[in-house]
Amino acid sequence: MIDNRLRRRELMALLAAGLGSAWLSQSALAQPKWQHDPFGLGVASGSPTHDSVVLWTRLHASGLLGADPGRDQITLRWELAHDDNFLRPVQHGQVVATPELAHSAHVEVRGLEPDRWYFYRFMSGDAVSPVGRTRTFPRPDAAVASLRLAYASCQKWEDGYFSAWRHMRAENLDAVMFLGDYIYEYPGKRSKLRSPGGGWVLTLDDYRRRYAVYKGDPDLQAMHAHCPWLMTWDDHEVQNDYAGEQAGDGGAADPSLASDFLARRMAAYQAYYEHMPLSASVLTRALAGLGQGAEMRIYRSVPFGRLANLYLLDARQYKDPQVCTRDGRRGSASVNPRDCPMWNDPKRSMLGQAQEQWLDQALAQQGATAVHWNVLGQQTLVGQRDFRAGPEQFLWNDGWDGYAGARQRLTGALQRHRVSNPVFLGGDVHENWVGHVKADYTDAASPSVGVEFCGTSITSRSAGNGKLADRLAENPHFVFAECERKGYGVAQFTPRQLTTTLRVLDDVSRPDSGIETLAQFAVHSGRPVIERV
Protein backbone atom coordinates (compact mmCIF):
# COMPACT_ATOMS: atom_id res chain seq x y z
CA MET A 1 0.00 0.00 0.00
CA ILE A 2 1.29 3.44 -0.88
CA ASP A 3 1.61 5.80 2.09
CA ASN A 4 -1.06 8.55 1.88
CA ARG A 5 1.51 11.08 3.08
CA LEU A 6 3.69 10.19 0.09
CA ARG A 7 0.75 10.71 -2.24
CA ARG A 8 0.16 14.10 -0.69
CA ARG A 9 3.81 15.07 -1.08
CA GLU A 10 3.73 13.92 -4.70
CA LEU A 11 0.60 15.97 -5.36
CA MET A 12 2.20 18.98 -3.69
CA ALA A 13 5.24 18.61 -5.96
CA LEU A 14 2.98 18.39 -9.02
CA LEU A 15 1.18 21.53 -7.98
CA ALA A 16 4.45 23.35 -7.47
CA ALA A 17 5.61 22.17 -10.88
CA GLY A 18 2.62 23.87 -12.48
CA LEU A 19 0.35 20.87 -13.12
CA GLY A 20 -2.30 21.85 -10.60
CA SER A 21 -4.66 23.24 -13.24
CA ALA A 22 -4.98 19.88 -15.01
CA TRP A 23 -8.49 18.43 -15.43
CA LEU A 24 -9.60 16.36 -12.45
CA SER A 25 -12.61 14.20 -11.77
CA GLN A 26 -15.33 16.20 -10.04
CA SER A 27 -15.81 13.36 -7.54
CA ALA A 28 -12.11 12.77 -6.91
CA LEU A 29 -11.74 15.56 -4.37
CA ALA A 30 -13.92 17.29 -1.82
CA GLN A 31 -16.75 19.54 -2.97
CA PRO A 32 -17.82 21.22 0.27
CA LYS A 33 -20.94 23.09 1.14
CA TRP A 34 -19.93 26.38 2.68
CA GLN A 35 -21.70 28.16 5.50
CA HIS A 36 -19.60 31.28 4.86
CA ASP A 37 -17.99 32.81 1.79
CA PRO A 38 -14.79 30.83 1.13
CA PHE A 39 -13.47 33.58 -1.16
CA GLY A 40 -13.04 36.16 1.59
CA LEU A 41 -9.49 36.91 0.44
CA GLY A 42 -10.61 37.80 -3.08
CA VAL A 43 -9.04 36.94 -6.41
CA ALA A 44 -6.00 38.20 -8.27
CA SER A 45 -4.11 37.80 -11.53
CA GLY A 46 -0.51 38.37 -12.45
CA SER A 47 2.62 37.25 -14.31
CA PRO A 48 1.07 38.26 -17.68
CA THR A 49 2.67 37.50 -21.02
CA HIS A 50 1.32 37.95 -24.55
CA ASP A 51 -0.48 34.58 -24.37
CA SER A 52 -0.82 33.63 -20.69
CA VAL A 53 -1.73 34.85 -17.22
CA VAL A 54 -1.82 33.40 -13.69
CA LEU A 55 -5.13 33.43 -11.81
CA TRP A 56 -5.09 33.22 -8.00
CA THR A 57 -7.37 32.74 -5.03
CA ARG A 58 -7.20 31.16 -1.58
CA LEU A 59 -10.03 29.42 0.25
CA HIS A 60 -10.30 31.02 3.66
CA ALA A 61 -13.40 30.69 5.80
CA SER A 62 -14.73 28.80 8.78
CA GLY A 63 -17.91 26.76 9.00
CA LEU A 64 -17.48 23.96 6.47
CA LEU A 65 -20.12 21.26 6.27
CA GLY A 66 -18.82 17.95 4.96
CA ALA A 67 -15.14 18.97 4.67
CA ASP A 68 -12.36 20.30 6.86
CA PRO A 69 -10.13 22.87 5.12
CA GLY A 70 -7.27 21.91 7.43
CA ARG A 71 -7.16 18.37 6.03
CA ASP A 72 -8.99 18.02 2.75
CA GLN A 73 -7.90 18.69 -0.77
CA ILE A 74 -10.65 20.74 -2.36
CA THR A 75 -11.54 21.02 -6.02
CA LEU A 76 -12.02 24.51 -7.43
CA ARG A 77 -13.57 25.22 -10.79
CA TRP A 78 -12.48 28.27 -12.74
CA GLU A 79 -13.77 30.10 -15.79
CA LEU A 80 -12.27 32.69 -18.14
CA ALA A 81 -14.47 34.68 -20.51
CA HIS A 82 -14.53 37.71 -22.77
CA ASP A 83 -17.33 39.30 -20.72
CA ASP A 84 -18.11 39.67 -17.03
CA ASN A 85 -21.39 37.75 -17.43
CA PHE A 86 -19.46 34.75 -18.80
CA LEU A 87 -21.70 34.48 -21.84
CA ARG A 88 -18.67 34.31 -24.15
CA PRO A 89 -16.48 31.67 -22.50
CA VAL A 90 -12.82 31.25 -23.41
CA GLN A 91 -11.46 28.51 -21.14
CA HIS A 92 -12.47 26.64 -18.01
CA GLY A 93 -11.04 23.93 -15.83
CA GLN A 94 -10.40 22.63 -12.35
CA VAL A 95 -7.58 23.02 -9.86
CA VAL A 96 -6.81 21.40 -6.52
CA ALA A 97 -6.50 23.57 -3.42
CA THR A 98 -4.35 21.65 -0.93
CA PRO A 99 -3.73 22.23 2.78
CA GLU A 100 0.01 22.11 2.09
CA LEU A 101 -0.41 25.36 0.14
CA ALA A 102 -2.96 26.90 2.51
CA HIS A 103 -5.73 26.00 0.07
CA SER A 104 -4.43 28.52 -2.43
CA ALA A 105 -4.89 28.05 -6.16
CA HIS A 106 -2.60 29.17 -8.99
CA VAL A 107 -4.05 28.60 -12.46
CA GLU A 108 -1.68 29.22 -15.34
CA VAL A 109 -3.94 29.89 -18.30
CA ARG A 110 -2.13 29.55 -21.62
CA GLY A 111 -3.00 29.88 -25.29
CA LEU A 112 -4.76 33.23 -24.94
CA GLU A 113 -5.06 35.98 -27.52
CA PRO A 114 -2.50 38.78 -27.20
CA ASP A 115 -3.39 42.29 -26.05
CA ARG A 116 -6.81 41.24 -24.78
CA TRP A 117 -8.86 41.89 -21.64
CA TYR A 118 -10.58 38.91 -19.98
CA PHE A 119 -12.77 38.17 -16.96
CA TYR A 120 -12.40 35.24 -14.56
CA ARG A 121 -13.91 33.64 -11.48
CA PHE A 122 -13.58 30.59 -9.22
CA MET A 123 -16.23 28.26 -7.81
CA SER A 124 -16.21 25.83 -4.90
CA GLY A 125 -19.35 23.84 -4.28
CA ASP A 126 -22.13 26.38 -4.55
CA ALA A 127 -19.87 29.35 -3.70
CA VAL A 128 -18.73 31.75 -6.42
CA SER A 129 -15.83 34.17 -6.11
CA PRO A 130 -15.84 37.84 -7.06
CA VAL A 131 -15.23 38.43 -10.76
CA GLY A 132 -11.70 39.47 -11.65
CA ARG A 133 -10.51 41.38 -14.70
CA THR A 134 -7.17 40.67 -16.34
CA ARG A 135 -5.32 41.03 -19.61
CA THR A 136 -2.58 39.66 -21.81
CA PHE A 137 0.24 41.85 -23.07
CA PRO A 138 0.86 42.58 -26.77
CA ARG A 139 3.10 40.27 -28.79
CA PRO A 140 6.81 41.08 -28.40
CA ASP A 141 7.00 42.25 -32.02
CA ALA A 142 3.79 44.32 -31.96
CA ALA A 143 3.73 48.09 -32.43
CA VAL A 144 2.04 49.55 -29.33
CA ALA A 145 0.78 53.07 -28.82
CA SER A 146 0.64 53.25 -25.01
CA LEU A 147 1.28 51.52 -21.68
CA ARG A 148 -0.15 52.80 -18.37
CA LEU A 149 1.65 51.24 -15.43
CA ALA A 150 1.20 52.05 -11.74
CA TYR A 151 4.07 51.46 -9.31
CA ALA A 152 3.59 51.12 -5.56
CA SER A 153 5.19 49.68 -2.42
CA CYS A 154 5.23 49.56 1.40
CA GLN A 155 1.79 49.11 2.93
CA LYS A 156 2.10 48.82 6.70
CA TRP A 157 -1.32 47.96 8.07
CA GLU A 158 -1.24 50.03 11.24
CA ASP A 159 0.18 53.18 9.58
CA GLY A 160 -2.90 54.02 7.56
CA TYR A 161 -5.79 52.90 5.40
CA PHE A 162 -5.34 51.42 1.94
CA SER A 163 -7.35 54.23 0.33
CA ALA A 164 -4.72 54.61 -2.40
CA TRP A 165 -5.82 51.33 -3.95
CA ARG A 166 -9.40 52.59 -4.24
CA HIS A 167 -8.26 55.64 -6.18
CA MET A 168 -5.90 53.61 -8.34
CA ARG A 169 -8.87 51.77 -9.87
CA ALA A 170 -9.81 54.98 -11.71
CA GLU A 171 -6.39 55.32 -13.39
CA ASN A 172 -7.22 53.23 -16.49
CA LEU A 173 -4.18 51.00 -15.97
CA ASP A 174 -2.79 48.12 -17.96
CA ALA A 175 -0.96 46.66 -14.96
CA VAL A 176 0.38 47.32 -11.46
CA MET A 177 4.05 46.86 -10.56
CA PHE A 178 4.38 46.18 -6.83
CA LEU A 179 7.92 46.75 -5.57
CA GLY A 180 8.00 45.23 -2.12
CA ASP A 181 6.88 45.26 1.52
CA TYR A 182 3.46 43.81 0.84
CA ILE A 183 3.16 42.87 4.52
CA TYR A 184 5.09 43.86 7.66
CA GLU A 185 6.31 41.23 10.10
CA TYR A 186 6.20 43.28 13.30
CA PRO A 187 3.87 42.40 16.20
CA GLY A 188 0.47 43.98 15.98
CA LYS A 189 0.72 46.91 18.37
CA ARG A 190 -2.10 49.20 19.32
CA SER A 191 -2.71 51.89 16.74
CA LYS A 192 -5.00 54.87 16.58
CA LEU A 193 -6.11 53.51 13.24
CA ARG A 194 -6.01 49.70 13.20
CA SER A 195 -3.87 46.73 14.18
CA PRO A 196 -3.16 43.49 12.31
CA GLY A 197 -3.17 41.59 15.62
CA GLY A 198 -0.83 38.82 16.67
CA GLY A 199 2.79 38.86 17.76
CA TRP A 200 6.02 38.62 15.80
CA VAL A 201 5.54 36.89 12.45
CA LEU A 202 7.95 33.95 12.55
CA THR A 203 6.31 30.69 11.43
CA LEU A 204 4.43 29.60 8.33
CA ASP A 205 1.13 29.90 10.17
CA ASP A 206 2.11 33.39 11.37
CA TYR A 207 2.83 34.56 7.82
CA ARG A 208 -0.37 33.01 6.51
CA ARG A 209 -2.42 34.82 9.15
CA ARG A 210 -0.73 38.15 8.43
CA TYR A 211 -1.35 37.81 4.68
CA ALA A 212 -4.97 36.96 5.39
CA VAL A 213 -5.36 40.22 7.34
CA TYR A 214 -3.92 42.28 4.49
CA LYS A 215 -5.76 40.36 1.77
CA GLY A 216 -9.01 40.98 3.65
CA ASP A 217 -8.81 44.73 2.98
CA PRO A 218 -11.59 45.57 0.48
CA ASP A 219 -9.67 48.31 -1.35
CA LEU A 220 -6.63 46.08 -1.87
CA GLN A 221 -8.86 43.20 -2.96
CA ALA A 222 -10.69 45.35 -5.49
CA MET A 223 -7.44 46.57 -7.05
CA HIS A 224 -6.11 43.03 -7.33
CA ALA A 225 -9.30 42.08 -9.16
CA HIS A 226 -9.07 45.08 -11.49
CA CYS A 227 -5.95 44.27 -13.57
CA PRO A 228 -2.87 42.02 -13.54
CA TRP A 229 -0.01 42.66 -11.11
CA LEU A 230 3.74 42.25 -11.57
CA MET A 231 5.27 41.30 -8.22
CA THR A 232 8.58 41.52 -6.46
CA TRP A 233 9.44 41.67 -2.75
CA ASP A 234 11.70 43.56 -0.37
CA ASP A 235 12.63 42.78 3.24
CA HIS A 236 9.44 42.95 5.33
CA GLU A 237 7.92 39.96 3.55
CA VAL A 238 10.52 38.10 5.67
CA GLN A 239 12.29 40.37 8.20
CA ASN A 240 13.49 43.95 8.33
CA ASP A 241 16.88 44.47 6.64
CA TYR A 242 17.65 40.81 5.98
CA ALA A 243 20.22 40.21 3.24
CA GLY A 244 20.43 36.87 1.47
CA GLU A 245 20.91 34.20 4.12
CA GLN A 246 21.77 36.67 6.87
CA ALA A 247 19.07 37.78 9.29
CA GLY A 248 18.32 41.45 9.62
CA ASP A 249 17.40 43.34 12.75
CA GLY A 250 13.82 43.87 13.78
CA GLY A 251 14.88 45.40 17.07
CA ALA A 252 16.06 44.05 20.39
CA ALA A 253 12.68 42.44 21.08
CA ASP A 254 12.70 40.42 17.85
CA PRO A 255 12.70 36.75 18.99
CA SER A 256 14.18 35.64 15.66
CA LEU A 257 17.53 36.98 16.86
CA ALA A 258 17.88 33.66 18.67
CA SER A 259 16.02 31.48 16.16
CA ASP A 260 16.71 29.69 12.89
CA PHE A 261 16.56 32.49 10.32
CA LEU A 262 16.70 30.21 7.28
CA ALA A 263 13.66 28.31 8.57
CA ARG A 264 11.87 31.63 8.99
CA ARG A 265 12.87 32.71 5.47
CA MET A 266 11.65 29.41 4.05
CA ALA A 267 8.27 29.87 5.74
CA ALA A 268 8.03 33.46 4.52
CA TYR A 269 8.86 32.49 0.93
CA GLN A 270 6.27 29.73 0.93
CA ALA A 271 3.60 32.06 2.31
CA TYR A 272 4.51 34.68 -0.31
CA TYR A 273 3.99 32.14 -3.08
CA GLU A 274 0.72 30.99 -1.54
CA HIS A 275 -0.70 34.53 -1.62
CA MET A 276 0.58 35.96 -4.90
CA PRO A 277 -0.41 35.39 -8.56
CA LEU A 278 2.92 33.80 -9.44
CA SER A 279 3.79 30.99 -11.81
CA ALA A 280 4.77 27.71 -10.16
CA SER A 281 8.06 27.97 -12.06
CA VAL A 282 9.32 30.42 -9.40
CA LEU A 283 9.68 27.35 -7.16
CA THR A 284 12.82 26.17 -8.89
CA ARG A 285 12.97 22.87 -6.99
CA ALA A 286 9.29 22.60 -6.11
CA LEU A 287 8.01 23.44 -2.66
CA ALA A 288 10.30 21.01 -0.84
CA GLY A 289 13.31 22.79 -2.28
CA LEU A 290 12.68 25.85 -0.11
CA GLY A 291 13.48 23.75 2.93
CA GLN A 292 16.81 22.79 1.39
CA GLY A 293 17.88 26.34 0.64
CA ALA A 294 16.72 26.44 -2.99
CA GLU A 295 16.04 29.84 -4.49
CA MET A 296 12.57 31.15 -5.21
CA ARG A 297 13.24 32.85 -8.50
CA ILE A 298 10.99 35.86 -8.86
CA TYR A 299 13.19 37.98 -11.12
CA ARG A 300 12.08 38.03 -14.74
CA SER A 301 11.49 40.22 -17.75
CA VAL A 302 8.43 40.55 -19.94
CA PRO A 303 7.94 42.59 -23.13
CA PHE A 304 5.00 44.89 -23.74
CA GLY A 305 5.21 44.78 -27.52
CA ARG A 306 8.03 46.86 -28.95
CA LEU A 307 7.06 49.73 -26.67
CA ALA A 308 8.67 48.53 -23.44
CA ASN A 309 10.49 45.71 -21.76
CA LEU A 310 9.65 45.33 -18.07
CA TYR A 311 12.25 43.88 -15.71
CA LEU A 312 11.41 42.74 -12.17
CA LEU A 313 14.53 42.43 -10.02
CA ASP A 314 15.17 40.76 -6.66
CA ALA A 315 17.50 42.80 -4.46
CA ARG A 316 17.01 40.76 -1.27
CA GLN A 317 17.35 37.02 -1.79
CA TYR A 318 20.91 37.07 -3.19
CA LYS A 319 22.18 40.25 -1.55
CA ASP A 320 25.53 40.37 0.24
CA PRO A 321 25.20 41.48 3.88
CA GLN A 322 25.42 45.17 4.68
CA VAL A 323 28.83 46.37 5.90
CA CYS A 324 29.95 48.67 8.72
CA THR A 325 26.67 48.80 10.59
CA ARG A 326 27.46 50.30 13.96
CA ASP A 327 28.37 48.17 16.98
CA GLY A 328 28.63 45.04 14.84
CA ARG A 329 24.86 44.80 14.48
CA ARG A 330 23.16 43.21 11.53
CA GLY A 331 21.00 45.26 9.22
CA SER A 332 21.23 48.81 8.00
CA ALA A 333 22.77 52.11 9.04
CA SER A 334 24.05 55.40 7.66
CA VAL A 335 27.80 55.08 7.07
CA ASN A 336 30.69 57.36 6.17
CA PRO A 337 32.42 55.38 3.39
CA ARG A 338 35.76 56.78 4.52
CA ASP A 339 35.42 54.84 7.76
CA CYS A 340 34.44 51.56 6.08
CA PRO A 341 37.29 49.61 4.40
CA MET A 342 34.86 47.10 2.84
CA TRP A 343 32.63 49.80 1.30
CA ASN A 344 34.23 49.75 -2.16
CA ASP A 345 34.76 45.99 -2.41
CA PRO A 346 33.82 45.40 -6.08
CA LYS A 347 32.76 41.80 -5.40
CA ARG A 348 29.80 42.79 -3.25
CA SER A 349 26.43 42.51 -4.98
CA MET A 350 22.82 43.59 -4.54
CA LEU A 351 21.50 41.08 -7.06
CA GLY A 352 23.91 38.17 -6.77
CA GLN A 353 26.19 36.91 -9.52
CA ALA A 354 23.64 34.76 -11.33
CA GLN A 355 21.00 37.51 -11.48
CA GLU A 356 23.60 40.07 -12.55
CA GLN A 357 24.65 37.79 -15.42
CA TRP A 358 21.05 37.18 -16.42
CA LEU A 359 20.33 40.92 -16.42
CA ASP A 360 23.47 41.71 -18.41
CA GLN A 361 22.44 39.19 -21.06
CA ALA A 362 18.87 40.49 -21.12
CA LEU A 363 20.09 44.07 -21.52
CA ALA A 364 22.45 43.02 -24.29
CA GLN A 365 19.56 41.44 -26.13
CA GLN A 366 17.35 44.50 -25.67
CA GLY A 367 20.15 46.78 -26.79
CA ALA A 368 20.08 45.02 -30.14
CA THR A 369 16.32 45.46 -30.64
CA ALA A 370 14.01 48.36 -31.33
CA VAL A 371 12.30 48.43 -27.91
CA HIS A 372 11.57 52.04 -26.98
CA TRP A 373 11.76 51.84 -23.16
CA ASN A 374 13.51 49.52 -20.70
CA VAL A 375 11.82 49.68 -17.31
CA LEU A 376 13.68 48.22 -14.33
CA GLY A 377 11.39 47.60 -11.35
CA GLN A 378 13.43 47.07 -8.21
CA GLN A 379 13.15 47.70 -4.52
CA THR A 380 14.76 51.00 -3.63
CA LEU A 381 16.52 54.25 -4.56
CA VAL A 382 19.20 53.82 -7.24
CA GLY A 383 20.83 57.26 -7.30
CA GLN A 384 23.34 58.25 -4.64
CA ARG A 385 21.76 60.10 -1.72
CA ASP A 386 24.17 61.84 0.64
CA PHE A 387 22.56 62.70 3.97
CA ARG A 388 25.32 65.10 5.10
CA ALA A 389 26.14 68.52 3.66
CA GLY A 390 29.76 69.29 2.82
CA PRO A 391 32.69 67.16 1.70
CA GLU A 392 32.02 64.29 4.12
CA GLN A 393 29.50 61.69 2.96
CA PHE A 394 26.86 59.84 4.92
CA LEU A 395 25.26 57.07 2.84
CA TRP A 396 22.74 54.29 3.52
CA ASN A 397 24.41 50.88 3.49
CA ASP A 398 21.25 48.87 2.73
CA GLY A 399 20.52 50.47 -0.66
CA TRP A 400 22.49 50.80 -3.88
CA ASP A 401 24.79 53.32 -2.19
CA GLY A 402 26.11 50.47 -0.06
CA TYR A 403 26.86 48.42 -3.19
CA ALA A 404 28.49 51.02 -5.40
CA GLY A 405 30.47 48.45 -7.39
CA ALA A 406 27.29 46.58 -8.27
CA ARG A 407 25.63 49.84 -9.29
CA GLN A 408 28.56 50.71 -11.55
CA ARG A 409 28.32 47.28 -13.18
CA LEU A 410 24.64 47.91 -13.85
CA THR A 411 25.05 51.41 -15.27
CA GLY A 412 28.08 50.17 -17.24
CA ALA A 413 25.93 47.45 -18.80
CA LEU A 414 23.31 50.03 -19.78
CA GLN A 415 26.00 52.05 -21.56
CA ARG A 416 27.90 49.13 -23.04
CA HIS A 417 24.81 47.54 -24.55
CA ARG A 418 23.37 50.90 -25.66
CA VAL A 419 20.11 50.14 -23.89
CA SER A 420 17.40 52.51 -25.02
CA ASN A 421 15.69 54.77 -22.49
CA PRO A 422 16.39 53.06 -19.14
CA VAL A 423 13.81 53.91 -16.46
CA PHE A 424 14.21 52.78 -12.85
CA LEU A 425 11.13 52.40 -10.66
CA GLY A 426 11.65 51.89 -6.92
CA GLY A 427 10.16 52.00 -3.45
CA ASP A 428 11.37 51.19 0.09
CA VAL A 429 12.18 54.74 1.29
CA HIS A 430 8.53 55.81 1.82
CA GLU A 431 9.24 59.08 -0.03
CA ASN A 432 8.98 60.35 -3.60
CA TRP A 433 12.40 60.91 -5.22
CA VAL A 434 12.76 61.81 -8.90
CA GLY A 435 16.16 62.07 -10.54
CA HIS A 436 18.85 61.13 -13.00
CA VAL A 437 20.90 57.96 -12.65
CA LYS A 438 24.56 58.85 -13.21
CA ALA A 439 27.41 56.71 -14.48
CA ASP A 440 29.81 58.04 -11.83
CA TYR A 441 28.70 59.96 -8.74
CA THR A 442 32.26 61.08 -8.00
CA ASP A 443 32.30 63.09 -11.24
CA ALA A 444 29.96 66.09 -11.44
CA ALA A 445 30.16 65.99 -15.25
CA SER A 446 29.24 62.30 -15.44
CA PRO A 447 26.46 61.69 -17.97
CA SER A 448 22.96 60.57 -17.09
CA VAL A 449 22.44 56.98 -18.20
CA GLY A 450 18.79 56.81 -17.21
CA VAL A 451 16.06 58.28 -15.04
CA GLU A 452 14.42 57.09 -11.86
CA PHE A 453 11.12 57.50 -10.08
CA CYS A 454 11.32 56.14 -6.55
CA GLY A 455 7.85 56.12 -5.10
CA THR A 456 6.34 56.89 -1.75
CA SER A 457 4.51 54.26 0.29
CA ILE A 458 0.90 53.18 0.26
CA THR A 459 0.82 53.85 4.03
CA SER A 460 4.23 53.34 5.70
CA ARG A 461 5.53 56.29 7.69
CA SER A 462 8.43 58.57 6.79
CA ALA A 463 10.45 61.25 8.56
CA GLY A 464 8.97 64.28 6.79
CA ASN A 465 10.27 67.29 4.86
CA GLY A 466 12.30 69.00 7.56
CA LYS A 467 15.70 68.37 5.93
CA LEU A 468 14.50 68.06 2.34
CA ALA A 469 15.87 71.34 0.94
CA ASP A 470 19.37 70.61 2.24
CA ARG A 471 19.34 67.07 0.87
CA LEU A 472 18.22 68.20 -2.58
CA ALA A 473 21.00 70.78 -2.59
CA GLU A 474 23.54 68.12 -1.63
CA ASN A 475 22.28 65.72 -4.32
CA PRO A 476 21.62 67.83 -7.44
CA HIS A 477 21.03 64.80 -9.69
CA PHE A 478 17.60 64.63 -8.02
CA VAL A 479 15.17 67.15 -9.47
CA PHE A 480 12.29 66.62 -7.04
CA ALA A 481 11.50 64.99 -3.72
CA GLU A 482 8.66 65.00 -1.19
CA CYS A 483 8.86 63.07 2.07
CA GLU A 484 5.42 63.15 3.72
CA ARG A 485 2.51 62.32 1.41
CA LYS A 486 1.44 58.72 0.69
CA GLY A 487 0.15 57.21 -2.53
CA TYR A 488 1.55 55.80 -5.77
CA GLY A 489 2.90 56.73 -9.18
CA VAL A 490 1.52 56.24 -12.68
CA ALA A 491 3.93 55.96 -15.60
CA GLN A 492 2.47 56.31 -19.09
CA PHE A 493 4.75 55.24 -21.94
CA THR A 494 4.34 56.12 -25.61
CA PRO A 495 6.95 55.72 -28.37
CA ARG A 496 7.84 59.41 -28.00
CA GLN A 497 7.53 60.14 -24.28
CA LEU A 498 7.24 58.91 -20.71
CA THR A 499 4.88 60.89 -18.48
CA THR A 500 5.01 60.10 -14.76
CA THR A 501 2.36 61.37 -12.36
CA LEU A 502 2.81 61.29 -8.59
CA ARG A 503 -0.56 60.74 -6.92
CA VAL A 504 -0.87 61.40 -3.17
CA LEU A 505 -3.61 61.06 -0.57
CA ASP A 506 -5.01 63.99 1.36
CA ASP A 507 -4.82 62.03 4.62
CA VAL A 508 -3.71 58.39 4.88
CA SER A 509 -5.34 58.15 8.32
CA ARG A 510 -8.81 58.49 6.76
CA PRO A 511 -10.42 55.59 4.89
CA ASP A 512 -12.37 58.09 2.79
CA SER A 513 -9.33 60.22 1.91
CA GLY A 514 -9.31 62.11 -1.36
CA ILE A 515 -6.35 62.14 -3.73
CA GLU A 516 -4.54 64.72 -5.84
CA THR A 517 -1.61 65.06 -8.23
CA LEU A 518 1.54 66.10 -6.40
CA ALA A 519 3.71 66.57 -9.51
CA GLN A 520 4.08 65.40 -13.09
CA PHE A 521 7.19 64.85 -15.19
CA ALA A 522 8.07 64.10 -18.80
CA VAL A 523 11.03 62.27 -20.36
CA HIS A 524 11.41 62.34 -24.13
CA SER A 525 12.58 59.21 -25.89
CA GLY A 526 16.30 59.30 -26.64
CA ARG A 527 17.03 62.02 -24.05
CA PRO A 528 17.50 60.94 -20.39
CA VAL A 529 16.44 64.30 -18.96
CA ILE A 530 13.47 64.82 -16.63
CA GLU A 531 11.29 67.86 -17.22
CA ARG A 532 8.62 69.13 -14.82
CA VAL A 533 5.28 69.38 -16.60
Side-chain angles (χ1 to χ4, degrees), residues 414-434:
L414 295 174
Q415 292 177 299
R416 185 170 65 256
H417 301 310
R418 300 181 183 276
V419 175
S420 60
N421 299 316
V423 178
F424 290 89
L425 301 179
D428 179 49
V429 300
H430 307 171
E431 302 168 355
N432 274 303
W433 285 81
V434 177

Side-chain angles (χ1 to χ4, degrees), residues 50-70:
H50 71 279
D51 63 357
S52 68
V53 71
V54 175
L55 310 180
W56 172 91
T57 194
R58 177 191 166 195
L59 299 174
H60 185 266
S62 60
L64 269 177
L65 293 176
D68 181 349

